[in-house]
């Protein structure tokens, strides 16, 4: 069923982090219900809203990195494409920024 997917370690870690975040947010919401607040995002959001926006942003960062990895190798005269771990760290940073400040 999933033969078309490339399940590398970074991909597995990325999806495991998403599952753990969803589970953690569910427990957090049960223990301490959220309230709307306004950060630097142009709308008032709850924790769940910020998680959703952050996950979408993280996915776009990863897709952009995968799409541009060949170009990065060409532009910077690298011997091989940069590691996907770089996009993982960048996307988790974007997600953390949106969760904290959004």
């Amino acid at each position: 069923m999933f033969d078309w997917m490339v399940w590398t370690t970074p991909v597995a870690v990325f999806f495991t982090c998403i599952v753990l975040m969803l589970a953690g947010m569910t427990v957090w919401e049960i223990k301490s219900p959220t309230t709307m607040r306004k950060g630097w995002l142009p709308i008032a959001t709850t924790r769940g809203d910020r998680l959703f926006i952050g996950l979408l942003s993280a996915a776009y960062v990863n897709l952009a990195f995968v799409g541009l990895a060949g170009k990065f190798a060409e532009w910077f005269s690298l011997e091989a494409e940069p590691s996907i771990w770089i996009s993982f760290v960048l996307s988790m940073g974007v997600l953390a920024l949106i969760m904290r400040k959004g």
Side-chain angles (χ1 to χ4, degrees), residues 21-73:
M21 278 188 284
L22 290 173
M25 290 291 287
T26 301
V27 171
W28 191 8
E29 184 66 27
I30 291 170
K31 295 284 185 187
S32 170
T34 188
T35 58
M36 299 285 277
R37 75 171 173 88
K38 178 93 168 73
W40 55 266
L41 291 172
I43 55 174
T45 58
T46 64
R47 271 180 260 160
D49 297 334
R50 289 188 301 278
L51 178 64
F52 180 73
I53 293 167
L55 287 174
L56 282 177
S57 301
Y60 289 132
V61 166
N62 276 306
L63 286 173
F65 187 86
V66 168
L68 294 173
K71 293 290 185 189
F72 289 153

Side-chain angles (χ1 to χ4, degrees), residues 66-90:
V66 168
L68 294 173
K71 293 290 185 189
F72 289 153
E74 182 182 320
W75 293 338
F76 301 118
S77 303
L78 303 174
E79 294 178 12
E81 290 184 358
S83 173
I84 196 76
W85 287 107
I86 296 169
S87 71
F88 175 75
V89 170
L90 288 174

Side-chain angles (χ1 to χ4, degrees), residues 25 37 47 50-51 94-102:
M25 290 291 287
R37 75 171 173 88
R47 271 180 260 160
R50 289 188 301 278
L51 178 64
V94 167
L95 175 61
L97 178 68
I98 290 173
M99 288 297 293
R100 181 75 179 130
K101 301 288 184 182

